[in-house]
Amino acid sequence: MIKKAFIFDLDGVIVDTAKFHFIAWQRLATSLDINFTEEENEQLKGVSRVNSLKKILEWGNKKISPDVFQSKMDQKNTEYLDLIKTLDTSDIMPGVHDFLLELKKQEQPIALGSASKNARPILKKLGIYDLFDVIVDGTNVTKAKPDPEVFLSACDQLGYVAQNSIVFEDSVAGVQAANTAGMISIGLGESSILKAADEVFAHFTDMPQNYINTLLSKKK
Ligand code: B16
Ligand code: MG
């Protein structure tokens, strides 16, 4: 039986936390007198917390001391954790749970490849933590997306090569990371934004029947 490494991004692919990241960043930007738009937020998808704050300060043309920088990062995460405290199984994006269960049934290896330092508690809240054979997140990587480190580490830990790995991503930075790694990139979101992905779907529920089989025989 053909097997491939199936690697999932978290925010925006498994769960729609992007809107909560946006609210928390927007509150933080306002506290610094910076105007922060939805278009700018799009560029923060898949980007680590520290790099996100650096970008917001750059766009707002603001400089802050290292101490204030750290406290603003903590403030953002506290707000974010408060916004996601009621997350549960019902917040899993449409079609994702069934897709994961089908992969399990077919004994395909599953990994998480996320920039988030909150990935593990979020997967536990969603009740799907145990479906993942390997978890690589913001607490394990040194180089943020678009660097491919997170995905290469995931496929390596699963015992697969990049050419036999498939990445599901909602961010421009994440699709770029998967492509740089030489992996098949499946975009979740708008094709006008995720132009570089090998294929794009709005949701998992839009994938054709037996799409897992199509992916197993797909070449980069
Ligand atoms: P945290 P992903 C990314 O997760 C988010 O897309 C991005 O918006 C966020 O800033 C980043 O995680 C860090 O998250 O503050 O929870 O550590 O899309 O790579 O799963
Ligand atoms: Mg994402």
Side-chain angles (χ1 to χ4, degrees):
M1 190 208 220
I2 312 170
K3 287 203 183 182
K4 282 192 175 163
F6 287 79
I7 308 173
F8 296 80
D9 173 50
L10 177 69
D11 294 316
V13 169
I14 292 177
V15 59
D16 185 15
T17 41
K19 60 184 179 221
F20 300 124
H21 278 296
F22 179 49
I23 296 169
W25 281 130
Q26 201 162 40
R27 285 183 190 160
L28 178 128
T30 307
S31 79
L32 288 166
D33 235 359
I34 296 172
N35 182 38
F36 177 60
T37 65
E38 229 171 319
E39 288 69 42
E40 286 165 338
N41 187 59
E42 195 60 46
Q43 296 178 53
L44 298 187
K45 285 187 179 171
V47 176
S48 67
R49 203 181 305 163
V50 56
N51 286 344
S52 298
L53 181 51
K54 281 184 190 163
K55 276 183 191 270
I56 291 173
L57 291 170
E58 207 178 287
W59 293 327
N61 212 3
K62 279 254 152 49
K63 287 205 173 9
I64 54 177
S65 71
D67 281 358
V68 178
F69 189 98
Q70 187 55 49
S71 81
K72 289 290 171 193
M73 285 228 297
D74 295 344
Q75 182 191 328
K76 187 270 173 178
N77 200 45
T78 305
E79 298 242 20
Y80 175 68
L81 291 178
D82 190 50
L83 289 163
I84 62 163
K85 66 173 184 267
T86 59
L87 277 191
D88 64 21
T89 311
S90 68
D91 292 295
I92 300 174
M93 304 271 270
V96 173
H97 207 169
D98 285 347
F99 194 88
L100 290 170
L101 292 176
E102 185 54 36
L103 289 177
K104 272 277 153 219
K105 206 165 115 193
Q106 294 194 22
E107 295 178 9
Q108 297 292 340
I110 305 176
L112 189 87
S114 165
S116 176
K117 292 188 168 167
N118 298 302
R120 286 163 202 264
I122 291 175
L123 287 179
K124 284 179 185 159
K125 274 174 185 290
L126 300 176
I128 54 173
Y129 183 83
D130 293 338
L131 294 178
F132 290 82
D133 301 300
V134 161
I135 292 177
V136 186
D137 64 16
T139 64
N140 312 117
V141 291
T142 52
K143 294 179 220 129
K145 298 171 191 174
D147 189 283
E149 183 187 6
V150 62
F151 296 140
L152 287 171
S153 170
C155 85
D156 197 45
Q157 286 186 51
L158 286 173
Y160 285 72
V161 294
Q163 288 76 3
N164 287 333
S165 300
I166 303 158
V167 169
F168 300 87
E169 253 296 343
D170 71 310
S171 73
V172 174
V175 166
Q176 201 184 323
N179 288 344
T180 303
M183 299 175 176
I184 294 167
S185 54
I186 307 298
L188 274 304
E190 287 181 38
S191 45
S192 58
I193 293 174
L194 304 174
K195 291 188 265 290
D198 292 318
E199 262 190 278
V200 180
F201 299 95
H203 297 106
F204 276 78
T205 42
D206 298 312
M207 290 170 182
Q209 282 267 316
N210 297 322
Y211 188 59
I212 291 174
N213 289 343
T214 309
L215 286 173
L216 289 174
S217 49
K218 202 172 174 74
K219 294 225 169 5
K220 181 72 182 172

